[in-house]
Amino acid sequence: MKSILQQQLERKGTNSVKWDGLERWFRLSEDVLPLWVADIDIRTAPSISEALAAKAAQGEFGYTLFAPEAQKAVSDWYGRRHDLIVDPNHVLFSSGVVPALTHIVEALTEVGDGVVIQSPVYPPFHELVVGSKRQVFDAPLKKIDEHYEMDFVALEEAMKQAKLFLLCSPHNPVGRVWTRAELEKVVALANQYEVIVVADEIHADLTFPSHQHTAIGTLDPRVITVSAPSKAFNIAGLFASYIICPVDEWRKQITKVQNKHHVLPTPFANTAIIAAYTDSRAERWLDQLREELEQQMNDVIDSIESNLPMLHTTRPEASYLLWIDFSELPMSAEERKSWLHQDVRIFLSPGGPFGPQGEAFERMNIGTRRELLDEAIQRLSAQMERKAFV
């Protein structure tokens, strides 16, 4: 079977944020390897491309409503893949997960209310709460050896003071797929302190075959879920996301905020959601991608452990993001950034914006051809040896 990850795909010169953004935004030359933005260097599933081409051939691109077929596709997908029964009428469109979370926070909390996050976490979690003039209550994850766990003592303390909890599941950047037992504790605490749980499950469909994602909505019928086919099928640029909100009153409030912000899908967003979630060829493609990502992740970690013993990783359980600990290198975060860009010639996502616990970390996107990852590791090894970091 032809590999999905190892295909040749030239993204440079396509106005790609990941590839062309390095020169346009950071003035870095083209030999710097971009291993940062969370999209993959692959073509999407052929069946999705075919559906989009057919839609384009119609030549009709007027203002568009969220299609009932797309709502049903989301409902059927969650029922089939995640054992969550979803009423199609409970599915709202959103142009992205971050806008969805922002609109939910605006709709269901007031200025000054507390919102819980678990750092180190995807930077917009903190940014959207602060930008909405809500209070951040952080319940940082615990790092035990090379493994992250929830700190339920800290989480309970944060929930006592908050109205809403933003859960990242699976977690970005540490790669944890929370167990059913862990999520049951989350639900119990949220119910005890009357906290609304909002779960970002955008990486759920990239859970590795060796692990099992539990949709937290299966444990509590009031949980709000935000997701998209964008990570799983590599279609982030189509801005096709959704909110699953089972509580009627909350859904009305969210819709009111969305209307204020003129949230509508493009015709291609509807098409992409339907094609991704209803075409059996796309589903088979996804299952192959999951297998390839897990194998590549394991290979990259093994290579880092063999060639870069001063760097330490957590072993992710989903997706293509690798959280790497650079703390044994004697340099500040700013010095490390300069060294990575100017000497090593690779571009990673610096850990600081993920929270104070991330200052010594970098996030690497391994969703690219293996030869580029091997080159990145070789460059790191050579420059660490040059600086005597061995």
Side-chain angles (χ1 to χ4, degrees):
M1 188 178 295
K2 187 177 180 181
S3 172
I4 296 171
L5 271 179
Q6 308 312 323
Q7 63 184 272
Q8 293 288 328
L9 178 64
E10 182 56 64
R11 299 190 67 196
K12 196 178 298 179
T14 65
N15 294 307
S16 160
V17 169
K18 183 178 179 182
W19 286 83
D20 299 315
L22 295 190
E23 182 177 359
R24 192 175 304 180
W25 290 347
F26 303 104
R27 301 293 184 263
L28 293 174
S29 62
E30 62 179 18
D31 70 319
V32 176
L33 294 178
L35 303 173
W36 61 309
V37 173
D39 61 20
I40 330 178
D41 296 330
I42 62 171
R43 294 175 179 85
T44 190
S47 51
I48 296 177
S49 295
E50 291 169 11
L52 292 170
K55 179 62 181 176
Q58 293 177 0
E60 190 277 306
F61 310 114
Y63 292 120
T64 305
L65 299 171
F66 194 28
E69 296 84 355
Q71 292 175 294
K72 185 175 186 304
V74 172
S75 170
D76 290 347
W77 181 264
Y78 257 84
R80 186 168 68 252
R81 301 284 293 199
H82 302 297
D83 297 321
L84 177 63
I85 304 304
V86 175
D87 183 333
N89 294 314
H90 295 172
V91 183
L92 304 175
F93 174 78
S94 180
S95 59
V97 161
V98 174
L101 297 176
T102 304
H103 295 156
I104 291 168
V105 167
E106 181 179 343
L108 303 184
T109 65
E110 302 291 337
V111 171
D113 280 345
V115 177
V116 179
I117 65 172
Q118 293 173 304
S119 63
V121 72
Y122 182 47
F125 275 42
H126 180 275
E127 295 162 0
L128 72 88
V129 174
V130 172
S132 301
K133 296 184 172 58
R134 275 60 170 176
Q135 293 188 67
V136 173
F137 287 94
D138 194 3
L141 301 177
K142 296 189 296 185
K143 190 168 185 285
I144 301 174
D145 296 324
E146 304 304 323
H147 183 78
Y148 280 90
E149 296 182 2
M150 292 192 192
D151 183 337
F152 285 102
V153 173
L155 184 59
E156 180 171 10
E157 195 58 36
M159 282 195 179
K160 289 178 182 178
Q161 308 170 78
K163 186 171 183 180
L164 187 144
F165 172 36
L166 296 179
L167 171 70
C168 196
S169 177
H171 193 278
N172 172 12
V174 308
R176 274 300 316 279
V177 173
W178 306 117
T179 65
R180 185 180 185 88
E182 287 171 314
L183 294 175
E184 285 173 343
K185 290 182 181 179
V186 168
V187 166
L189 285 173
N191 287 336
Q192 181 179 350
Y193 296 105
E194 299 183 335
V195 172
I196 300 168
V197 176
V198 182
D200 168 5
E201 294 190 348
I202 196 169
H203 292 276
D205 288 317
L206 289 177
T207 298
F208 295 155
S210 61
H211 290 80
Q212 179 64 48
H213 169 74
T214 298
I216 191 171
T218 62
L219 307 179
D220 187 335
R222 291 169 64 82
V223 165
I224 300 172
T225 302
V226 178
S227 193
S230 55
K231 300 301 182 192
F233 294 96
N234 205 41
I235 52 174
L238 294 177
F239 297 99
S241 302
Y242 51 84
I243 299 166
I244 301 171
C245 182
V247 179
D248 292 343
E249 182 55 37
W250 293 350
R251 198 168 58 256
K252 290 176 185 176
Q253 292 173 256
I254 295 166
T255 299
K256 184 176 179 180
V257 170
Q258 287 191 314
N259 289 341
K260 183 177 74 173
H261 292 288
H262 306 286
V263 176
L264 286 173
T266 69
F268 292 109
N270 277 325
T271 300
I273 291 172
I274 295 167
Y277 285 170
T278 64
D279 194 310
S280 60
R281 294 174 298 164
E283 199 160 351
R284 290 193 298 271
W285 179 94
L286 175 60
D287 288 335
Q288 180 184 336
L289 176 62
R290 291 167 58 233
E291 291 178 1
E292 290 190 29
L293 283 173
E294 181 168 26
Q295 183 62 59
Q296 181 143 294
M297 182 67 78
N298 288 333
D299 290 346
V300 169
I301 291 173
D302 289 345
S303 182
I304 289 174
E305 290 176 348
S306 297
N307 298 288
L308 303 168
M310 293 184 72
L311 303 186
H312 304 282
T313 65
T314 58
R315 195 168 287 268
E317 298 162 351
S319 203
Y320 45 80
L321 303 173
L322 180 59
W323 191 233
I324 307 176
D325 184 351
F326 281 74
S327 61
E328 288 192 22
L329 274 59
M331 56 176 69
S332 67
E334 199 59 35
E335 290 169 336
R336 186 176 69 246
K337 180 175 77 171
S338 177
W339 175 68
L340 288 170
H341 296 175
Q342 304 303 327
D343 296 337
V344 182
R345 313 301 288 166
I346 64 173
F347 198 100
L348 308 177
S349 296
F354 293 81
Q357 305 86 349
E359 284 293 330
F361 288 76
E362 301 281 338
R363 192 190 73 178
M364 174 186 281
N365 180 347
I366 64 99
T368 191
R369 298 194 311 277
R370 180 62 191 274
E371 64 195 72
L372 298 182
L373 298 169
D374 289 343
E375 173 65 19
I377 291 170
Q378 190 280 325
R379 291 184 187 187
L380 274 165
S381 179
Q383 289 301 320
M384 288 174 69
E385 192 171 320
R386 183 170 175 268
K387 275 191 172 285
F389 291 159
V390 292

